[in-house]
């Protein structure tokens, strides 16, 4: 909003008229800006609010700046009106009038009383009872005060426009979550999620009070920006509360899901534990058979039925009967993992116990397969093969069976069969 140049030679009538026109336009722009600031919703809110902290300190300074702005504007208006009146005395101004007009338009002709409303030295220099300005410097001073005042007003208004409404919406969501939590037995002192809901409630209440009374404490100026209101509201605390509520809400929804499908999950758990119990019983029976039929073999012991898990399953059923969903949820999750592990261990135990029987079956199958091959190639009546086959078969089909000795007998039969089958060939080159 610049106006005229520095003091210099006496202005002629055309220069005076152009300067007055520019000053008039500047006056209108300044007046419009001041009236807009006066009517700004943020300023009215600041005037009526009970402020604390940073906002109270900055608004106290800003009120002084706004008062001083109007004082400067009144002085500017008076100086401009006086210059206009002087120019209007004569259509063709005399040299004396032009000298005086030059002084008023370019010189330090505006005297302003500072009074007690003088703002901080960083904006207006040291406090003085009166100050002299050129019209150009007075406009610069008003621009400085206006920018700093508008920055406070716009920043506070931006925080008030953004955060309280969001906090209220989050508080409403918090209320709905608390109702859900209460319906599934999640209460403070009984469940961590209930304690977390209490903490979030206290944080939102505290946050809203602080935002309303000290909005500028929640303003983050934009780096490198000099424009009034350059920045954004600081939502870090709000965001943390929102994330915490979302975590609790998911936990409550998990509990609600438990209430919905708990019966089906309990039935599945009973089935898994029943299968594990049956598998262990089968392993115990197989172990007795192995000990009776297989000699010189290490057979692992088989554990008893999963009684501890059965007891915890009964506890889970009790929780469901008494609608203690918040306790049932983690118990079911734990039981589902442990029950699957128990079934896996039971199957591994059965496999380990029956391993010797599987080895014996594999040796029997190998022996019979070689016998069939020998018969197909016409060597079934070989005395050595008959003897070694009978020896191996007697060992494999007797009880208790010594697997190590039986395996050696099968290997001897295989070696003898290989030797016989690789014997003389007829004249046509075919193997007999």
């Amino acid at each position: 909003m610049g106006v005229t140049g520095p003091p210099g030679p006496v202005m002629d009538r055309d220069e005076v008229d152009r300067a007055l026109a520019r000053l008039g336009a500047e006056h209108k722009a300044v007046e419009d800006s001041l009236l807009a600031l006066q009517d700004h919703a943020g300023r009215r809110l600041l005037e009526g609010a009970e402020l604390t902290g940073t906002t109270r300190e900055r608004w106290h300074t800003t009120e002084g700046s706004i008062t001083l702005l109007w004082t400067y504007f009144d002085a500017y208006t008076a100086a401009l009106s006086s210059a206009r009146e002087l120019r209007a005395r004569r259509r063709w101004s005399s040299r004396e009038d032009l000298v005086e007009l030059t002084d008023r338009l370019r010189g330090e002709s505006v005297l302003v009383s500072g009074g007690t409303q003088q703002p901080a030295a960083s904006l207006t220099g040291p406090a003085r009872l009166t100050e002299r300005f050129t019209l150009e410097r007075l406009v610069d001073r008003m621009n400085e005060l206006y920018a700093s005042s508008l920055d406070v007003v716009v920043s506070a208004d931006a925080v008030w426009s953004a955060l309280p409404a969001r906090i209220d919406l989050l508080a409403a969501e918090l209320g709905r979550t608390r109702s859900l939590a209460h319906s599934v037995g999640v209460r403070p002192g009984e469940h961590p999620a209930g304690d977390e809901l209490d903490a979030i409630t206290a944080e939102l209440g505290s946050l809203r009070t602080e935002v309303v009374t000290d909005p500028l404490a929640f303003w983050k100026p934009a780096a490198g920006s000099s424009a009034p209101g350059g920045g954004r509201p600081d939502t870090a605390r709000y965001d943390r509360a929102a994330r915490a509520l979302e975590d609790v809400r998911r936990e409550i929804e998990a509990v609600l899901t438990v209430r919905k499908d708990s019966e089906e999950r309990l039935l599945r758990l009973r089935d898994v534990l029943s299968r594990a119990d049956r598998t262990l019983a089968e392993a115990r029976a197989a172990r007795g058979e192995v000990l009776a039929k297989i000699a010189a073999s290490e057979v692992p012991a088989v554990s008893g039925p999963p009684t501890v898990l059965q007891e915890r399953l009964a506890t889970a059923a009790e929780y469901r009967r008494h609608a203690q969903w918040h306790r049932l949820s983690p118990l079911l999750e734990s039981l589902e993992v442990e029950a699957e592990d128990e079934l896996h261990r039971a199957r591994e135990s059965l496999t380990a116990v029956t391993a010797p029987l599987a080895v014996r079956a594999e040796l029997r199958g190998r022996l019979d397969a070689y016998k069939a091959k020998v018969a197909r190639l016409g060597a079934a009546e070989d005395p050595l093969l008959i003897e070694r086959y009978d020896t191996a078969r007697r060992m494999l089909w007797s009880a208790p069976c010594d697997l190590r000795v039986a395996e050696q007998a099968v290997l001897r039969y295989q070696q003898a069969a290989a030797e016989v089958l690789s014997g003389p060939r007829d004249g046509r080159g075919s193997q007999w």
Side-chain angles (χ1 to χ4, degrees):
M1 294 190 294
V3 284
T4 61
V10 176
M11 302 167 68
D12 60 28
R13 283 187 296 273
D14 290 339
E15 289 176 323
V16 168
D17 290 342
R18 287 195 296 270
L20 287 172
R22 288 195 298 272
L23 288 168
E26 192 66 58
H27 179 273
K28 181 65 168 64
V30 171
E31 183 179 32
D32 290 346
S33 297
L34 289 177
L35 291 175
L37 178 61
Q38 195 71 13
D39 292 336
H40 198 288
R43 188 198 63 79
R44 292 197 298 271
L45 288 172
L46 284 165
E47 281 187 340
E50 294 184 6
L51 303 175
T52 60
T54 301
T55 307
R56 180 172 61 184
E57 295 174 5
R58 292 188 63 187
W59 177 238
H60 178 73
T61 301
T62 300
E63 284 185 305
S65 297
I66 293 174
T67 300
L68 189 57
L69 257 173
W70 283 104
T71 300
Y72 284 163
F73 180 72
D74 289 343
Y76 181 83
T77 302
L80 179 58
S81 297
S82 175
R84 283 172 170 170
E85 289 173 3
L86 178 58
R87 176 65 184 88
R89 288 177 187 175
R90 300 179 183 87
R91 182 176 180 183
W92 303 101
S93 300
S94 65
R95 178 170 178 76
E96 290 76 10
D97 290 342
L98 292 174
V99 169
E100 186 172 352
L101 284 168
T102 300
D103 180 62
R104 291 189 183 189
L105 297 177
R106 291 183 174 176
E108 292 185 346
S109 59
V110 186
L111 184 64
V112 182
S113 298
T116 59
Q117 297 297 333
Q118 188 77 1
S122 60
L123 294 176
T124 63
R128 295 191 293 272
L129 294 178
T130 60
E131 291 181 281
R132 282 194 173 276
F133 296 95
T134 64
L135 286 171
E136 182 180 5
R137 178 59 187 138
L138 185 56
V139 170
D140 291 341
R141 184 69 62 85
M142 286 192 290
N143 284 339
E144 294 171 7
L145 291 174
Y146 176 78
S148 64
S149 301
L150 184 62
D151 182 67
V152 170
V153 170
V154 171
S155 300
D157 187 53
V159 173
W160 277 332
S161 297
L163 274 175
R166 295 173 70 180
I167 293 171
D168 290 343
L169 288 173
L170 191 61
E173 178 64 25
L174 173 64
R176 290 190 290 271
T177 304
R178 288 178 72 93
S179 297
L180 283 175
H182 191 271
S183 72
V184 294
V186 175
R187 298 179 178 87
E190 298 180 10
H191 192 279
D195 297 333
E196 184 66 19
L197 285 174
D198 264 7
I200 297 171
T201 301
E203 168 63 2
L204 286 183
S206 172
L207 179 60
R208 196 183 194 288
T209 299
E210 293 176 38
V211 166
V212 169
T213 60
D214 191 10
L216 294 182
F218 296 87
W219 182 252
K220 296 183 71 172
S225 174
S226 59
R232 63 178 180 82
D234 182 358
T235 62
R237 284 177 60 184
Y238 168 86
D239 293 338
R240 284 196 296 271
R243 286 193 298 269
L245 180 58
E246 178 62 20
D247 291 342
V248 172
R249 188 184 62 78
R250 282 197 295 266
E251 188 169 349
I252 299 303
E253 287 180 349
V255 175
L256 287 169
T257 302
V258 168
R259 183 172 66 179
K260 179 181 177 182
D261 59 11
S262 59
E263 182 176 5
E264 182 181 349
R265 291 172 70 181
L266 284 170
L267 287 174
R268 283 200 302 268
L269 276 170
R270 291 191 182 99
D271 178 63
V272 171
L273 291 178
S274 177
R275 280 187 284 156
D277 196 9
R278 290 196 301 270
T279 302
L280 287 174
E282 185 180 351
R284 285 191 291 272
R287 186 173 189 272
E289 180 183 356
V290 169
L291 291 175
K293 294 181 177 181
I294 306 297
S297 179
E298 294 293 332
V299 184
V302 180
S303 62
T307 55
V308 174
L309 290 182
Q310 293 288 358
E311 291 171 0
R312 294 180 65 199
L313 183 60
T315 301
E318 281 294 309
Y319 286 160
R320 184 178 182 278
R321 277 193 294 272
H322 294 90
Q324 293 178 307
W325 312 112
H326 62 291
R327 291 186 174 141
L328 178 59
S329 176
L331 181 56
L332 280 179
E333 290 178 4
S334 172
L335 277 173
E336 285 167 343
V337 173
E338 293 176 30
E340 289 294 336
D341 289 345
E342 184 64 29
L343 179 58
H344 181 68
R345 282 192 294 270
R347 287 168 173 168
E348 286 185 335
S349 181
L350 177 61
T351 300
V353 164
T354 57
L357 294 177
V359 171
R360 186 184 68 174
E362 191 274 332
L363 290 173
R364 285 177 174 180
R366 197 194 312 173
L367 180 66
D368 288 343
Y370 267 90
K371 181 184 178 184
K373 181 177 181 180
V374 166
R376 187 172 65 252
L377 296 177
E381 301 303 321
D382 185 271
L384 178 62
L385 293 181
I386 293 174
E387 177 191 352
R388 291 195 176 179
Y389 173 80
D390 289 341
T391 301
R393 191 178 191 288
R394 186 171 56 255
M395 291 181 179
L396 286 172
W397 268 267
S398 63
C401 170
D402 189 326
L403 288 177
R404 287 186 289 271
V405 175
E407 183 178 16
Q408 292 300 318
V410 171
L411 286 174
R412 285 195 296 273
Y413 177 71
Q414 290 179 235
Q415 292 167 356
E419 291 172 359
V420 170
L421 295 178
S422 61
R425 296 175 180 267
D426 58 20
R428 292 170 297 180
S430 60
Q431 191 177 36
W432 59 267

